[in-house]
Amino acid sequence: MTPKKYQVNLGADITKDLTEDQDHKPAPKKSKAKETAPPAGSVPAPMTLEQIAAVGPDRRRQLNCGVPEDLLLHRRTALYREDHGLGATRQNVVALAVDEWLRARGY
C-alpha cells in the first residue's frame, strides 16, 4: 500500500506533505518583522467597540479560551461594561483587545 499525500492550500501556495519523514526539521524562520507580517489585504480594517457591537450573531464565530482567574478578567470586563454601556459586552471587549494586540505585533 502506498502512502497517501495530502496537500493543504493556505492561500499562499503553502502545502504540507503529510508523508514526509517525521525527523525532517523545517528551515529556521527569519526574524525580520517585515517578512513575518501577513500578506497585504489579509488583515481587515480595525473596528471600534461600537462597530463590533453592531455585528450580528450570524456574523460571529466562537473563540473559547481559558484565562487565569488571578487576572480577574471576568470581573474587570463586567466593570468596564458598567462604565461604558451595553455595547461593551465581554465578547466585544475581548474582540477589540485581541485585535489591537495582534495589530500591535504586525498580525
Side-chain angles (χ1 to χ4, degrees), residues 62-74:
Q62 194 69 33
L63 177 67
N64 294 325
C65 60
V67 294
E69 286 185 43
D70 294 344
L71 293 176
L72 302 173
L73 294 177
H74 286 81

Side-chain angles (χ1 to χ4, degrees), residues 49 53 77-90 92-93:
L49 190 58
T77 53
L79 292 171
Y80 186 88
R81 179 180 179 174
E82 291 294 321
D83 290 342
H84 293 88
L86 297 176
T89 63
R90 281 188 186 109
N92 293 344
V93 170

Side-chain angles (χ1 to χ4, degrees), residues 1-105:
M1 181 175 172
T2 59
K4 292 182 181 180
K5 290 186 178 183
Y6 297 90
Q7 291 185 348
V8 178
N9 185 352
L10 299 176
D13 296 325
I14 299 171
T15 58
K16 182 176 181 182
D17 182 357
L18 296 177
T19 61
E20 286 181 349
D21 184 8
Q22 295 296 325
D23 295 331
H24 174 25
K25 294 183 181 179
K29 293 182 181 179
K30 295 180 182 178
S31 62
K32 294 182 180 179
K34 189 176 190 180
E35 294 176 344
T36 60
S42 67
V43 178
M47 297 174 77
T48 65
L49 190 58
E50 292 78 21
Q51 291 171 320
I52 292 171
V55 174
D58 58 324
R59 292 183 44 223
R60 291 181 178 258
R61 185 170 172 193
Q62 194 69 33
L63 177 67
N64 294 325
C65 60
V67 294
E69 286 185 43
D70 294 344
L71 293 176
L72 302 173
L73 294 177
H74 286 81
R75 176 152 174 73
R76 292 164 56 202
T77 53
L79 292 171
Y80 186 88
R81 179 180 179 174
E82 291 294 321
D83 290 342
H84 293 88
L86 297 176
T89 63
R90 281 188 186 109
Q91 65 185 11
N92 293 344
V93 170
V94 169
L96 182 64
V98 171
D99 181 59
E100 288 177 354
W101 184 82
L102 287 171
R103 283 177 195 284
R105 285 154 179 79

